[in-house]
Each structure stands twice: as structure tokens, then as C-alpha cells.
Amino acid sequence: MPQFVTCLAVSFVLSIGVCRAQSVLDSILDVHPYTWWGAMVTEVSTGDTLFMRNVEHSFMPASVTKLFTTAAALDQLGPDYRYVTQLYADGPQISHALQGNLVVRGAGDPSTGAPGPDHMDLFNAFADSLLALGIHEIGGHVIGDDNAFDDIPLGADWSWDDLVYGYAPQVSGLTFYDAIVEVEVHPTQPGTPGQLAVTPELMDYFIFHNRSVTLPRGQELEEGHAREPNSNHITISSAVPLGYSDPEELSVHNPTLYFVHGLRTLLNSRGILVRGKSVDVDSLATALDYQNARVVARHTSAPLSELVATINKESHNLYAEHLLKTLGVEYPDLEEDSEPGSAAMGVAAAMRTYDAARIDTSRLQLVDGSGLSRKNLVTPAMTMKLLRYMALHPDTSVRESFLTSLAVGGKDGTLEYRFTGNAAGFRRVRAKTGSLGNVSALAGYVMREDGAMLAFVIFANHFHGRHSPIHSIQESFVNSLVQRYN
């Protein structure tokens, strides 16, 4: 039904201001007429709907999916939930030697060894604990136990050509450095290969094939990255002109082995001799027996509220996938035919929150936690119900953790460079962005000039070309909400 007919049909019960809003906001979206738009605006406190467009139609939400994941995690796990990673000594200590294996038992913490200057702090803390016990030698292996989660490392229907990049990392119950490696190509002399700089410096975990080339100054940079399936053979074929560099985050195969390899390397550098190898628990012939092992160190993560802020402000895919699987660990649906610690079980657990928000879950299709999959389908009306449920959540700590986790227009996260300058939405907008090929989404809250909080959802699917014109329309739409449709 055309939008002007909708407004006329409800004009007897809606104010003239609502019809004016419908007309103004429709005109903003119609600037890009060949885009499939879905949008909704509601006043949070009253539930009054100010704008609707295709609100019951399904859209690919891209990273707006993270609002569904983080809402369910905060609602069910609570903002103070923490992961505990444990280090076990599996064998007796004789003098200064552990006569057995060292086992790291992961709980699904996505933040262990997070990128940054302190990424080796956890490994150093484990080394400190061993040295404090007088252990200077490990007679067995360093084993990584990732069995908190299932062994499916990727989300459903993730695009194969994304999998080399750090935004599509493998998911594991034990992870290190966001399951990525940072590689930067620096130019040398025109016609010769560039120089690779790798962080973290675990070069023996990877085999790099440097096919890069240095171009003369002024030519265009061309990126080239590939990783052989099920391996850490990485080919860099970028062409980098003088005066530039090519930094890239690349995904790592087998994050569990990556973790224990890093730990084993650090222990040896700290004077703790490891005689065995780095081992993934899945390669063992028999299951680990924790009954006869002892905990020698523990690491407790930051609270869930901080992890959720990382997810929503930075659109962190790995963290979101871990949270979804964690829901499947902590609150499995016993009637669901899925493995605890799987994405499917996480979705089944999350449905409890969506039911509480009065979402029609029979039409809600979610298959991952991050939104990388194009199989995720939600409607603007569903998303609006979730936004209102969280903004009015009876637990103030849940409500505040969710609201403060969102990026602020013109200030931080994925909105740092949007709603800038004199835009009406500058610092008034808290929202989650979403982006895939031919998909752009924005959903969150805006404080209007009269102090009212509005929740908004704007989905754009099936458009051609660049995202920037869609972003401009989304920002004009939200700015109009702040200005009360003037």
C-alpha cells in the first residue's frame, strides 16, 4: 500500500504531527528509490509509532544482528558474567619439573590475549604462576582444551571469500589475539618484493609466501591476500607504491593451537623448558582426566558489560559469535536437537529473550551471532520490539549496559565519523551499524530536542553501488527525528 494512503487511513487516530513525520521521512528515503527500505520510529516510553515502512517484511540486518545477540546475553547471563580460563598441571611435580602435560581449559572467553601492547600478559601471568610453584620444566605437552564450544569454527553460510580476513575469524572455545594475525607490507625498491611485518611475532606458526611487489610512487595500491583452506599457508600478493603500506588483519586457522603455541613459545622464553609439543585436545586419542589434574592458575575475563561494549561499538564479530555459543553452554534448550556450545543452541537459548520482548519468533531467522551470514532475516517491527524491551528493561544494570554499549554519533566506534560537525544527531544518537554487500542497516536510539527518547530502525537491502549515499540518507533520517520533522 502506498505510504500516503497508509497515513490517510490512520489520520483519524494519529496526530497531524505523525502524518507530517511520515511524509517527511518517506521523502528522505525516496531519494534512493531503487533501494528496498524498511524503517520504523517509535517513542520509547509511550510506544507511539511515528513512522512505518515495510515493517513486517524480512530484511538482512548485517551487524544489527549483534543487537539481538548482546541483548540476549545481557538479559540471561547478566552484565557481571565473566569467563574463567584455567591452567592445569596434569601430572606430579618432581623437583623443578612437571612430569606430565600442561593443559589450558578454555571457557569461551573471546578476549584472551586481545590485540594490543599487553597481548602476552596472560601468558606471562601463567609463567609467573608456574615459576612461583618452582616449575621450570614441562615434561609433557602444552594442550589446549576448546571443548566448551562445538568444533564448527565458522558461521552458517559465511561467504568463502571473506574467510581469509580478520573480520571472519574462526571460533573456538580457546582463542588468542582475536584469532587473527596482523600483516603489513612495507615497500622497498620498485620492482622488488615488499617487506613483511607480522604481529604477534609467532612466525613459526605461519608459512608466508611473499609475492608482494613495490610500485613506483604515485601508482595505485592493490591488495592481495589468500590463505590455503585448513592451513596457515598465507600468500601476500599486494602491490604497494612507495610512500604507502598495506596493513591487513588475516584470520588464523585453528585458534586453539594458536593459543597453546603462543603460550609454549612464551614459556620457553621465560626459562621454562617445554619438552613436548603444542597440542589441540581434538588430536588426543583419549579424553583428558581433570579428576587427577590440579589448577595452577586462573584468568578471569572482564565483565560481560565490557565485552558487549566492544561488540556493539566496534562491531566485533568474534566476540559476538562467542557470546552466542556461550548462551548455548549456559542455558541450553533441552528440547533443541543441537549440541550445547553450538551456534544453533545459542540461538535456541536466545529465543527466551525474544519471547519476553513479544517478538514473533516463528518468523525470526538467526543463524549466527555477528550478522556475517546472509541467512539472518529480521523485520523492522521485531527489531523495534527488541529495542523497546531493552530500553525499558526492569533490571537497570542490564538496561544501562545495553544502552551504553552502543556507538555514539560523532564520538566513538562505528559512528565516530558519522553525525559529525553540526549534524542534529551529533552525540544524540546511540546506535548499531550493519554492513554487507548491498546491505546497510542502522538501529538504535536518539534523544529528541524535547527530551523524548525515540527508537529507530532503518534497513536498506538490494541497493547497487557504494554505501556512502545510503549512509547519508540514514543520517538525514535520524537528524530529522532530532529536529522534530521541521
Side-chain angles (χ1 to χ4, degrees):
M1 181 182 293
Q3 295 299 317
F4 73 89
V5 174
T6 301
C7 191
L8 288 175
V10 299
S11 61
F12 294 103
V13 294
L14 292 179
S15 70
I16 294 173
V18 172
C19 285
R20 183 183 301 118
Q22 185 81 38
S23 176
V24 169
L25 297 175
D26 267 329
S27 67
I28 292 172
L29 298 183
D30 288 341
V31 169
H32 213 272
Y34 300 113
T35 294
W36 180 238
W37 290 104
M40 191 170 184
V41 180
T42 301
E43 188 166 4
V44 170
S45 60
T46 64
D48 292 341
T49 296
L50 306 179
F51 179 82
M52 295 186 295
R53 182 149 169 169
N54 297 322
V55 298
E56 296 295 347
H57 290 267
S58 294
F59 289 80
M60 289 179 284
S63 282
V64 167
T65 301
K66 294 181 176 73
L67 293 180
F68 287 82
T69 305
T70 55
L74 286 170
D75 185 46
Q76 297 187 42
L77 300 173
D80 296 326
Y81 178 87
R82 296 171 185 260
Y83 295 91
V84 179
T85 303
Q86 300 184 93
L87 184 68
Y88 286 82
D90 185 13
Q93 179 179 341
I94 299 176
S95 185
H96 295 296
L98 170 63
Q99 302 296 316
N101 300 314
L102 196 65
V103 182
V104 187
R105 193 178 196 182
D109 182 0
S111 63
T112 47
D118 304 325
H119 66 272
M120 300 297 282
D121 280 3
L122 172 59
F123 295 162
N124 274 307
F126 282 171
D128 290 340
S129 296
L130 294 173
L131 292 171
L133 293 171
I135 296 175
H136 294 267
E137 181 180 330
I138 310 297
H141 305 303
V142 179
I143 301 172
D145 183 349
D146 58 10
N147 285 334
F149 292 166
D150 68 358
D151 290 326
I152 299 176
L154 303 172
D157 203 43
W158 284 7
S159 297
W160 68 268
D161 48 352
D162 286 340
L163 302 183
V164 65
Y165 294 106
Y167 60 79
Q170 295 186 11
V171 181
S172 166
L174 187 64
T175 198
F176 167 67
Y177 208 79
D178 286 359
I180 64 168
V181 59
E182 297 177 291
V183 182
E184 186 165 7
V185 183
H186 295 280
T188 52
Q189 296 294 324
T192 64
Q195 183 177 4
L196 303 186
V198 179
T199 307
E201 296 180 351
L202 299 174
M203 293 291 287
D204 53 342
Y205 190 71
F206 307 95
I207 297 177
F208 286 101
H209 304 279
N210 186 0
R211 305 285 188 263
S212 68
V213 64
T214 302
L215 300 178
R217 191 178 303 273
Q219 293 194 17
E220 186 175 351
L221 186 149
E222 297 181 10
E223 297 183 350
H225 311 92
R227 177 170 56 78
E228 293 181 18
N230 301 315
S231 81
N232 284 302
H233 288 249
I234 297 173
T235 298
I236 308 296
S237 56
S238 298
V240 184
L242 293 172
Y244 288 85
S245 65
D246 176 32
E248 191 60 71
E249 295 178 352
L250 304 176
S251 66
V252 169
H253 177 63
N254 196 336
T256 302
L257 201 57
Y258 190 36
F259 185 109
V260 291
H261 181 84
L263 176 58
R264 182 175 177 274
T265 300
L266 186 282
L267 294 179
N268 281 321
S269 73
R270 291 285 304 274
I272 302 175
L273 176 64
V274 180
R275 296 194 177 277
K277 300 178 180 179
S278 305
V279 175
D280 184 331
V281 68
D282 294 332
S283 67
L284 297 178
T286 58
L288 292 170
D289 179 13
Y290 287 102
Q291 295 285 341
N292 297 314
R294 69 185 189 280
V295 177
V296 293
R298 288 184 175 88
H299 171 74
T300 302
S301 74
L304 182 65
S305 57
E306 293 187 22
L307 303 182
V308 165
T310 298
I311 292 171
N312 285 336
K313 285 186 181 293
E314 305 301 331
S315 204
H316 204 299
N317 292 334
L318 179 72
Y319 282 34
E321 296 301 335
H322 276 241
L323 256 62
L324 183 66
K325 290 194 174 188
T326 299
L327 280 168
V329 172
E330 298 289 1
Y331 296 107
D333 184 343
L334 300 181
E335 297 181 0
E336 176 72 19
D337 186 22
S338 300
E339 182 180 348
S342 66
M345 185 62 84
V347 170
M351 289 295 177
R352 299 185 183 100
T353 295
Y354 312 145
D355 283 332
R358 299 187 176 182
I359 292 171
D360 180 4
T361 55
S362 68
R363 292 191 57 222
L364 174 63
Q365 180 170 298
L366 296 174
V367 299
D368 70 9
S370 64
L372 271 177
S373 176
R374 303 181 80 89
K375 285 186 175 179
N376 295 311
L377 293 173
V378 306
T379 70
M382 291 173 181
T383 311
M384 181 58 68
K385 287 183 176 181
L386 184 79
L387 290 172
R388 287 200 69 230
Y389 176 73
M390 295 305 290
L392 301 173
H393 200 284
D395 187 329
T396 56
S397 66
V398 170
R399 180 170 70 243
E400 291 302 314
S401 294
F402 186 76
L403 293 175
T404 59
S405 75
L406 302 175
V408 179
K411 180 183 178 182
D412 60 15
T414 57
L415 291 182
E416 181 176 2
Y417 302 107
R418 297 179 66 176
F419 300 99
T420 56
N422 296 319
F426 180 68
R427 301 294 175 97
R428 290 178 178 266
V429 178
R430 289 185 177 273
K432 181 73 200 73
T433 58
S435 182
L436 287 172
N438 314 112
V439 175
S440 181
L442 186 68
Y445 310 92
V446 62
M447 294 301 298
R448 206 164 57 181
E449 290 180 342
D450 62 1
M453 176 187 277
L454 303 181
F456 65 89
V457 181
I458 316 170
F459 290 144
N461 280 193
H462 307 301
F463 60 88
H464 294 278
R466 297 170 59 85
H467 282 66
S468 52
I470 303 297
H471 290 176
S472 296
I473 292 171
Q474 291 168 339
E475 290 166 32
S476 294
F477 187 102
V478 175
N479 287 334
S480 182
L481 300 180
V482 178
Q483 296 169 333
R484 301 190 65 182
Y485 331 116
N486 294 330

